[in-house]
Each structure stands twice: as structure tokens, then as C-alpha cells.
Amino acid sequence: MAKPTVGFVGLGIMGRHMAGHILDAGYPMYVYNRSPAKADELVGRGAALASSPGELASKCDVIITIVGYPADVEEVYLGDDGLIARAHEGSTLIDMTTSSPALALKIADAASSRGLKALDAPISGGDVGAQSAKLAIMIGGDAAALNAVRPILELMGTNIAHLGGPGAGQHTKMANQIAIASTMMGVAESLAYAETAGLDCNQVLDVIGTGAASSFLLNGLGRKIVANDYSHGFFVHHFVKDMSIALTEAERMKLDLPGLKKAKQLYERLVAQGHGEEGTQAIYRLYRSTDGETSQ
């Protein structure tokens, strides 16, 4: 049986690796990116370059997107030359962008009205998970639609979970980002304390990283902090976007999240200081001043 043709929109830090895994598995593929040069590697490996999201949709059975902001998602899906306008009946649309749960519902309704299936499927695992095909994928939408495309998703991730109807994947990703927000503050404060106390921070991580505080953020990004490595695995400015979405949803549900509010304030300060394209561990800059003391 011939494999379905896959379209992939968004070839940034994560998308190019994710699309590459699907291409390597032998799926016919069309790709689109607003900066066409980012598609060159995949085109060189056999993918076809589409001139617009709409053209891509018209040629594909399964379309995957991972773009920047909810406004980008809305344009790609609901624009005049967007995916929903041009996709053929029966196609499955999978948005892997971290976006708004409300927008996921809007897209699902619009897709259904045209005989299309839509899944919201945000991911966690960063660029490392994208490269190694070990992403966690959080799915909202129809279970049968998910089962039909599961073999494709398994090429990108190892933990594929169906959380409920449209929007449930995005809500789950918000829960993930909320946990990261306060944890990153905790990691930064822990290391600021250790550094100010005159301890060897790598030695501290060797010890506390095996106890109850153990986490990827402590053991992975904590080491980067100690090495003064603020290179991005996930951009600060994208994290601010995610926290803004989470706070909007929390306010709608009348839920107060003081840790998230504080984290967003700190990360917005980083963006204002010109660090928006660094990794989330760059929050430590706000705890370290030139004289080695914290700068809260």
C-alpha cells in the first residue's frame, strides 16, 4: 500500500529535524517555509518545495505544521490560500505549534465543515528531542484520526498521548510550560544561592541532581548555566508567548497562578534586555550581576 503524501510547514529549529525523520522513512513529502532557503537541505534529500501552504495542502494527504505564533497558525490554516481552503476532503491536518486552545477549537470546527480532520499536537523535548525523534506529543482531537496518522507521529516522538477532544493537546502543553516556568526560576535561584555561598556549582549539581530535585532542567540546563552557555534550545521570546497563552487561559478559568506571573515578568525583562533569542536558561542573567551578586 502506498504511503500517504505528507506536507510539512515550518522548518525551523525543530521542524527541519521532524520533517527529516518522516522523509527518511520513505514518505513522499512537500515542504513550505516562509524563508525558502531553510528548505534547501530537505529538497536536496528528495522533498518537493511548495510555493504556499495552500499549494502544499492541495497535494498532500497529511499536513503537519509547526510555526511561530498563534497569528501564524491562524494565517496558515484559515487564510484565503491556507490549508483548510485548499486541502482535499479526507486530509488530516496536524498542528504541532504551541498555540491557543481556543484557536485549536476554531480550526477543528473549520476543518470539519470541509470534510477534513484536525488534530492539535504540541510537543515537548526541545531541539534535542526533535533531533533524536524522542519528542512527547500531546494530542487533542478525534481518536480515529490520531490512530490513522500514528505511524507518522511515531517517527518524531516516543510518548504520544491522546488527551481528549480539540484543544486538549494545547491545554496539556500549557500545563507543561507552567511547570517549566516556575522550575526554571527554582533552578536559577538554587544556583545563584550556591554560587553566592562560594560552592562549586558543578559539584552541587552532582549531588542535588540525583535527589528529589532531579530534573532535565536542573541537570541539563543547570549545567549550561554553570558553563555560561545561554545558547537556545528553545527561544526565550517563544517561551514568553507560551506563558501569555497560559495566563490568558488561566484568567478565563478564574485560576490564579502567581508563579507563572512572576516567571513571565522575568522573561519579559530578558527580552527587553535583548536576550529573546537565547535559551530559557538565560533567566540566570537576572540573578547574576557583574560583581557576582544576584540582581533581582
Side-chain angles (χ1 to χ4, degrees):
M1 184 176 177
K3 292 182 176 180
T5 299
V6 176
F8 207 104
V9 178
L11 303 172
I13 294 171
M14 312 264 294
R16 68 176 184 267
H17 297 297
M18 296 158 66
H21 297 313
I22 299 169
L23 187 62
D24 288 343
Y27 283 84
M29 176 173 282
Y30 284 82
V31 294
Y32 172 80
N33 197 79
R34 284 186 298 189
S35 302
K38 290 186 177 180
D40 287 349
E41 180 190 355
L42 291 168
V43 170
R45 291 161 56 186
L49 181 63
S51 62
S52 70
E55 184 201 0
L56 178 144
S58 71
K59 297 177 181 296
C60 297
D61 308 300
V62 177
I63 300 106
I64 298 170
T65 58
I66 179 166
V67 294
Y69 289 82
D72 301 316
V73 174
E74 188 158 14
E75 179 183 356
V76 165
Y77 277 85
L78 302 174
D80 292 340
D81 189 34
L83 302 180
I84 290 175
R86 298 284 303 278
H88 58 76
E89 186 175 353
S91 296
T92 301
L93 313 176
I94 308 170
D95 184 30
M96 306 188 82
T97 315
T98 297
S99 184
S100 158
L103 180 55
L105 284 166
K106 183 177 180 181
I107 288 170
D109 287 344
S112 179
S113 72
R114 290 209 60 245
L116 310 171
K117 293 161 281 188
L119 300 172
D120 51 287
I123 55 179
S124 182
D127 60 335
V128 174
Q131 289 181 52
S132 60
K134 293 182 178 179
L135 293 168
I137 306 176
M138 311 158 212
I139 311 288
D142 180 70
L146 166 59
N147 289 335
V149 298
R150 184 176 288 272
I152 295 172
L153 296 175
E154 287 175 344
L155 297 170
M156 299 179 283
T158 53
N159 184 3
I160 299 165
H162 182 228
L163 283 308
Q170 296 295 354
H171 277 303
T172 304
K173 182 60 184 288
M174 290 301 105
N176 181 81
Q177 301 305 75
I178 291 165
I180 288 173
S182 288
T183 302
M184 280 309 307
M185 285 195 299
V187 169
E189 292 181 7
S190 171
L191 290 174
Y193 180 93
E195 182 179 23
T196 305
L199 300 174
D200 180 326
C201 288
N202 274 313
Q203 189 176 27
V204 170
L205 288 173
D206 288 341
V207 177
I208 69 173
T210 62
S214 177
S215 68
F216 166 76
L217 300 179
L218 182 72
N219 293 320
L221 298 187
R223 296 289 183 186
K224 285 192 170 187
I225 287 171
V226 175
N228 293 317
D229 178 2
Y230 300 126
S231 58
H232 59 76
F234 184 63
F235 288 127
V236 164
H237 65 83
H238 280 162
F239 195 36
V240 170
K241 174 262 296 184
D242 295 353
M243 289 186 284
S244 297
I245 294 170
L247 280 171
T248 297
E249 290 295 321
E251 289 166 5
R252 182 183 61 79
M253 296 185 288
K254 303 188 186 314
L255 177 65
D256 185 31
L257 300 175
L260 180 61
K261 290 177 182 176
K262 179 61 175 176
K264 181 171 176 283
Q265 290 171 0
L266 295 179
Y267 278 104
E268 285 176 333
R269 191 188 307 173
L270 273 180
V271 172
Q273 292 177 358
H275 303 299
E277 296 208 346
E278 294 182 341
T280 50
Q281 73 275 17
I283 191 174
Y284 197 67
R285 290 186 180 278
L286 303 180
Y287 291 84
R288 172 184 283 162
S289 65
T290 55
D291 60 5
E293 296 180 359
T294 58
S295 55
Q296 286 292 311

